[in-house]
Amino acid sequence: FPALYAVADLSPTDAWSVGSSFLGSLALHWNGRAWVNVPVPGNASFTEGIDAVAAIPGTSEIWALEAASGGQFMLKWNGSEWRGFPLPAERGKLSQYTVTDVAASASANAWDVGYSFSGSGTQPTLTVHWNGKTWSTVSSPSPKPANELFGVTASSESSAFAVGVAFSPFQTTASGLLLQWNGTSWSKIKVPTPPVPADATPQADRLTEGRTF
């Protein structure tokens, strides 16, 4: 059955909703009157799907994050057709990284975020930048042994935020993770810790610093 995972709105007559179906990745376009299925390049497989989408402000272009049995890669809609872009070569295998979200502020400025897997068993954050020509990895803070980024937003080349979670060894404690891009580097921003009820369940306080589960 078809499933939709993300949506991006460029204008009242231009919007996209993406997801997956038994025929592979699914992209639906809103033209102001109806949603129309737009074929997505790639090998049809139930393992494929488009997990995230981001509109490029001031254009009719979008970025889409596609996952397939062979890994993840980026798709760009240029207003008339899709074009595929590989993620960095060092992240070329699905077992080495997971990209979770994409954001764009301009045609030459976009970010992917997620997490990767190191040979030492740790799980660093993953931030990947588009400069208008290629996607390349950018160093980002990983405050604990296991870190995951789930969301990203970008307003300009000098401003972006990414959010996720950082786990202690054996995932016995966890804390919210907020990173900020200032145009030069990513830095970790302190996150206020909300109060936790005494009778909170382990899952409920998973993202709160200092609580066990």
Side-chain angles (χ1 to χ4, degrees):
F1 60 90
L4 298 174
Y5 306 135
V7 63
D9 182 14
L10 292 91
S11 75
T13 59
D14 191 3
W16 290 85
S17 182
V18 297
S20 64
S21 72
F22 283 115
L23 297 178
S25 294
L26 179 64
L28 304 178
H29 181 247
W30 172 254
N31 58 19
R33 299 180 303 274
W35 288 97
V36 179
N37 183 33
V38 178
V40 179
N43 297 320
S45 169
F46 72 92
T47 61
E48 289 188 356
I50 299 178
D51 297 325
V53 64
I56 301 175
T59 75
S60 60
E61 302 173 341
I62 65 167
W63 280 107
L65 168 64
E66 185 171 40
S69 56
Q72 291 178 294
F73 60 96
M74 300 305 299
L75 293 174
K76 188 178 184 181
W77 177 260
N78 63 10
S80 59
E81 63 180 358
W82 293 104
R83 183 182 175 189
F85 291 85
L87 289 166
E90 65 268 29
R91 307 288 184 182
K93 296 182 179 179
L94 186 63
S95 61
Q96 294 180 333
Y97 76 97
T98 298
V99 176
T100 57
D101 198 18
V102 58
S105 70
S107 294
N109 185 59
W111 287 96
D112 284 342
V113 299
Y115 50 95
S116 58
F117 304 93
S118 70
S120 62
T122 59
Q123 186 173 294
T125 58
L126 175 68
T127 53
V128 189
H129 183 250
W130 170 257
N131 63 6
K133 296 181 180 180
T134 60
W135 288 95
S136 57
T137 54
V138 177
S139 177
S140 53
S142 298
K144 294 189 177 181
N147 308 269
E148 299 176 5
L149 295 176
F150 301 130
V152 62
T153 183
S155 60
S156 70
E157 292 185 0
S158 61
S159 181
F161 290 92
V163 295
V165 62
F167 294 102
S168 65
F170 306 107
Q171 298 192 359
T172 54
T173 64
S175 60
L177 179 58
L178 175 60
L179 304 183
Q180 181 178 16
W181 173 257
N182 63 6
T184 303
S185 62
W186 288 96
S187 59
K188 179 179 178 293
I189 305 300
K190 185 177 180 180
V191 179
T193 301
V196 180
D199 59 349
T201 63
Q203 184 65 26
D205 60 13
R206 181 176 180 179
L207 301 185
T208 303
E209 182 74 54
R211 303 291 294 187
T212 59
F213 59 97

